[in-house]
Amino acid sequence: MLPVRRRFYKPDVMQPVQLCDIQAHIDHLFLSAGGMAARRTVEFILEQGVLWNASDIHLNPENEAATLGFRIDGVLQHLAEISH
């Protein structure tokens, strides 16, 4: 049997990041992920949405950036601006 290779980026342990730190994590992904930045950022956003039990994930495009928000317990919380 051939060994299974990981094809996609997956952290070993998924843990929720403090909501106030999501902007910093997204910025770090864009700086460190190279050509995989967009995919890893989307995976990170979706994983955090699940871990925080967000009912909605909002990604709103604007002129120079997109804003990210999670709806948690019925309240939409602005978390980050993605401008890379």
Side-chain angles (χ1 to χ4, degrees):
M1 181 182 225
L2 294 173
V4 175
R5 292 177 52 197
R6 283 190 178 181
R7 184 172 173 208
F8 298 106
Y9 164 80
K10 286 288 183 195
D12 292 330
V13 178
M14 291 191 318
Q15 297 179 349
V17 171
Q18 293 295 319
L19 292 177
C20 61
D21 293 334
I22 286 183
Q23 178 75 57
H25 277 75
I26 289 173
D27 291 342
H28 176 73
L29 284 171
F30 269 97
L31 293 174
S32 65
M36 305 297 280
R39 191 187 79 196
R40 288 188 178 177
T41 301
V42 170
E43 287 178 351
F44 173 76
I45 291 169
L46 294 175
E47 287 171 356
Q48 291 303 307
V50 169
L51 292 171
W52 279 100
N53 294 320
S55 60
D56 302 345
I57 298 173
H58 291 252
L59 191 58
N60 300 316
E62 296 180 3
N63 290 336
E64 297 291 324
T67 59
L68 171 66
F70 289 169
R71 186 176 307 278
I72 301 171
D73 295 330
V75 178
L76 181 59
Q77 300 186 30
H78 172 75
L79 300 173
E81 289 188 11
I82 303 169
S83 61
H84 300 284

